[in-house]
Amino acid sequence: SRTVELLNQEERQHAFSILALVMERDLVELATSFPNLKELADALVASEQWDNAIECYNQLIKMRPSKVSLHFQRALCEFKQNGVAAYRERCRESYQLLADRNLSDPDKRALVWMVCMTSGVVEDTRRVTELAREMAAAELDRANFSRWVLAWALFRQGETKEALDLLSDRDNLEASG
């Protein structure tokens, strides 16, 4: 696969050994071979074993419920297995669970990104825009990306003019990075 092409020799051998294990064993047996459950989930995704990958992400989410990237990865597995409606539903569930938590800035960015890039996930676009504004104000080191995500949130909320103004404000974009 393309991912394996990008790895160096040692990483490639490790990746192939993981894939070989995944292809030959069931999930319970695999769990004993992987001290890192995230590594196992990634290997299951690479081998397109969506049911098992979803189960791994469910376990990871139980351990780290505020880690948005885990929710997103699980939603992507749902998409691969069951299509866009299942993906949208998982994103909606994740948003409802996480929107009012005190998330780190990277997790806040990931949540807003996940919601903004998928239509029909939320009806309360004002809350998403509020989260995007908080994120953009806090992430000065990633101001361009944060501003872009905020523009998407504004667009989803129907604030097209403000979104376009934000995206076309070259002076702010260039000054911030």
Side-chain angles (χ1 to χ4, degrees), residues 140-144 147 170-177:
L140 300 177
D141 61 327
R142 299 199 55 172
N144 283 342
R147 191 173 285 115
R170 290 184 157 256
D171 293 333
N172 281 339
L173 288 173
E174 289 172 4
S176 62

Side-chain angles (χ1 to χ4, degrees), residues 130-142:
E130 180 184 313
L131 286 169
R133 286 187 195 282
E134 291 172 17
M135 175 207 53
E139 291 194 319
L140 300 177
D141 61 327
R142 299 199 55 172

Side-chain angles (χ1 to χ4, degrees), residues 7-142:
L7 302 176
N8 68 34
Q9 178 91 15
E10 184 178 312
E11 291 170 327
R12 190 176 310 141
Q13 287 175 337
H14 182 68
F16 281 127
S17 67
I18 289 171
L19 287 174
L21 283 172
V22 168
M23 300 304 260
E24 296 173 6
R25 297 184 180 162
D26 66 12
L27 185 59
V28 174
E29 190 178 356
L30 280 169
T32 62
S33 302
F34 288 86
N36 181 336
L37 194 56
K38 175 68 170 99
E39 188 176 289
L40 173 58
D42 292 343
L44 291 165
V45 167
S47 65
E48 299 181 3
Q49 293 186 34
W50 308 121
D51 284 338
N52 289 335
I54 290 167
E55 184 55 37
C56 276
Y57 282 115
N58 286 338
Q59 295 304 314
L60 285 162
I61 289 167
K62 285 179 186 175
M63 293 184 277
R64 299 184 69 195
S66 294
K67 188 72 177 159
V68 177
S69 63
L70 299 174
H71 290 265
F72 183 64
Q73 291 297 322
R74 180 181 63 183
L76 289 174
C77 292
E78 290 279 354
F79 169 74
K80 289 292 199 172
Q81 183 179 38
N82 300 313
V84 98
Y87 170 78
R88 190 175 286 130
E89 183 58 31
R90 273 298 182 198
C91 288
R92 184 178 299 113
E93 288 172 6
S94 297
Y95 174 76
Q96 290 170 346
L97 175 71
L98 298 169
D100 294 320
R101 288 191 181 200
N102 187 20
L103 298 174
S104 67
D105 290 334
D107 281 326
K108 195 177 295 183
R109 178 185 347 105
L111 181 63
V112 172
W113 174 254
M114 180 176 67
V115 170
C116 287
M117 299 313 297
T118 308
S119 65
V121 171
V122 296
E123 294 177 19
D124 182 13
T125 56
R126 290 187 200 292
R127 178 65 180 131
V128 174
T129 303
E130 180 184 313
L131 286 169
R133 286 187 195 282
E134 291 172 17
M135 175 207 53
E139 291 194 319
L140 300 177
D141 61 327
R142 299 199 55 172

